[in-house]
Amino acid sequence: MKASNIKTVGILTSGGDAPGLNAAIRALCISGKNNYGMKFIGVRNGYRGLIDNDTFKMDEIDLDPLISQGGTILGTSRVKPFKNPVPDPKTGLLPVEAIKETFKKNKMDALVCLGGNGTNTTASLLAEAGFNVIGMPKTIDNDIVGTDETFGFHTAIDVATAGIESIRTTARSHSRCMVVEIMGHKVGWLGLYSGIAGNADVILLPEIPYDIKKIGKYLKAKKAAGQNSFIVACSEGALDVAEGKLSKKEFKKVREGMAQSVGFRVAKEIEAETGIETRTSVLGYTQRGGNPAPYDMLLATKLGNAAADFLANKQFGNLVAVKGGQIVATPLNVVAGVVKAIPMDDVMLKTGRDLGICFGD
């Protein structure tokens, strides 16, 4: 067993659930215990549990089945301790003060936070406040800066692609255009990858404002050439040219005023522009739920194992990231507050264009 001054470590999951969380938790606990003699404290329901000291000993549970289990055994929430902090009415403590008490009561030497942009932004703020924190990249959106991959992404691709393929049979049977709405508010990695894998005719992404006239022209040309059914892979954050010119505040106001999600609007626009009968199918939480695909089991396990080494080596204030197939440390202050959008020279985007897929521009 290797020597380490880090003896007791807290673990929490925050933000949206994603396949691979339990596999990462399992690998971290097993590697940390076997290699360094670490003990782990589970924190229930994300940062909410960290504030409330809602904790338990991880050695009380059977870790082995977790590698293939979806969701998170720790529970999750979207509580952000640094956003509009107010004293607790019972204790009078501010969130950060309460977190210090949780560390003391559990004799925690460090904390591992598994999550996406919001989770790791909070982790960065905790690090700045003096806590020993390590982040891990979980999100189906694959939008965390400083890492090539996030666990959950590949499983979501599988689910979204399977959804497109299922909906294609209905499109063919009814000679329709089907708009398949895919998760991705701010970035379109999931829509891009599943759209190409599902052989979509049109892919609409938050990064590329669409022109309905160009989409209509493209679909009408395909229909004239003999194609009778069409698939539009539409990210939930897709926007048109006019929306692309709005400020963030203006855009938010427009979206709040929409009666339905953008996929339904796109379907109406396509039908009005082309005369092709068009329907919408929203894949929704099926993309985030369920058990992880083997790729995500392996990725999460690799990252969980590496996180134990990060702890032992006191590489605090970092995200356990992947670059060029290698595990690297990305500073949390680099990750905080930003998202990894699809660059316009991305190889998969270029591939889609070369294949003749319409991106609405």
Side-chain angles (χ1 to χ4, degrees):
M1 188 177 293
K2 304 170 187 176
S4 172
N5 292 328
I6 305 303
K7 301 299 182 183
T8 305
V9 180
I11 311 175
L12 65 78
T13 57
S14 181
D17 64 315
L21 278 168
N22 286 327
I25 292 166
R26 169 186 177 272
L28 170 58
C29 290
I30 292 175
S31 293
K33 180 182 178 180
N34 290 350
N35 294 315
Y36 301 105
M38 294 175 183
K39 296 180 180 179
F40 292 90
I41 303 295
V43 179
R44 296 185 181 93
N45 302 320
Y47 291 112
R48 177 75 271 163
L50 192 64
I51 295 168
D52 294 342
N53 189 30
D54 188 359
T55 60
F56 67 99
K57 294 178 180 179
M58 291 295 293
D59 58 12
E60 296 174 355
I61 63 174
D62 183 5
L63 294 171
D64 274 344
L66 297 183
I67 190 168
S68 60
Q69 185 177 316
T72 166
I73 58 163
L74 299 178
T76 186
S77 70
R78 295 189 182 276
V79 170
K80 298 178 180 179
F82 292 90
K83 187 175 182 179
N84 303 320
V86 295
D88 183 273
K90 293 182 181 179
T91 65
L93 295 176
L94 287 167
V96 173
E97 294 170 340
I99 290 171
K100 287 181 181 178
E101 289 300 309
T102 297
F103 263 69
K104 287 180 182 178
K105 289 175 181 176
N106 293 279
K107 297 180 181 179
M108 285 162 46
D109 299 310
L111 175 71
V112 178
C113 303
L114 293 79
N117 295 105
T119 300
N120 285 294
T121 296
T122 298
S124 178
L125 293 170
L126 285 173
E128 289 178 10
F131 294 92
N132 294 335
V133 180
I134 287 172
M136 289 182 66
K138 171 276 321 175
T139 171
I140 67 168
D141 293 321
N142 195 41
D143 62 349
I144 299 179
V145 170
T147 185
D148 293 340
E149 298 180 286
T150 62
F151 56 86
F153 178 55
H154 285 272
T155 304
I157 292 172
D158 292 350
V159 173
T161 302
I164 290 171
E165 287 301 319
S166 294
I167 291 164
R168 185 183 300 282
T169 61
T170 294
R172 286 173 176 164
S173 297
H174 294 270
S175 297
R176 285 176 180 164
C177 175
M178 296 294 293
V179 176
V180 184
E181 188 175 291
I182 297 165
M183 281 186 163
H185 274 296
K186 296 179 179 178
V187 300
W189 293 103
L190 182 54
L192 175 63
Y193 277 63
S194 60
I196 291 176
N199 194 27
D201 300 284
V202 179
I203 299 176
L204 303 182
L205 308 170
E207 292 88 344
I208 305 174
Y210 70 84
D211 183 335
I212 193 60
K213 295 289 183 183
K214 292 181 179 179
I215 296 172
K217 182 179 179 181
Y218 173 85
L219 292 176
K220 285 188 285 188
K222 281 211 159 194
K223 185 177 182 181
Q227 186 171 327
N228 76 334
S229 63
F230 311 91
I231 294 290
V232 177
C234 177
S235 296
E236 62 185 335
L239 68 167
D240 63 25
V241 173
E243 289 173 322
K245 297 176 182 178
L246 299 176
S247 67
K248 185 177 179 180
K249 185 177 181 180
E250 291 170 333
F251 179 73
K252 185 178 180 180
K253 186 175 181 180
V254 167
R255 284 302 163 92
E256 287 175 348
M258 288 174 59
Q260 293 177 297
S261 60
V262 71
F264 291 93
R265 186 188 75 186
V266 169
K268 291 176 181 177
E269 291 174 334
I270 288 174
E271 188 163 309
E273 187 67 26
T274 66
I276 301 169
E277 185 179 9
T278 307
R279 296 290 185 273
T280 299
S281 183
V282 180
L283 298 183
Y285 289 104
T286 59
Q287 299 159 91
R288 242 174 52 189
N291 297 328
Y295 190 100
D296 277 331
M297 291 184 208
L298 293 170
L299 177 59
T301 298
K302 178 170 66 175
L303 291 169
N305 178 66
D309 294 331
F310 273 47
L311 288 166
N313 296 326
K314 298 183 179 180
Q315 291 176 275
F316 303 125
N318 287 301
L319 177 78
V320 185
V322 180
K323 278 288 185 181
Q326 302 298 312
I327 300 293
V328 300
T330 297
L332 285 169
N333 59 12
V334 171
V335 176
V338 292
V339 295
K340 182 179 68 179
I342 300 171
M344 291 303 100
D345 61 350
D346 178 74
V347 65
M348 194 59 73
L349 182 58
K350 179 182 181 300
T351 299
R353 292 192 187 279
D354 290 346
L355 291 171
I357 295 172
C358 173
F359 288 88
D361 61 343

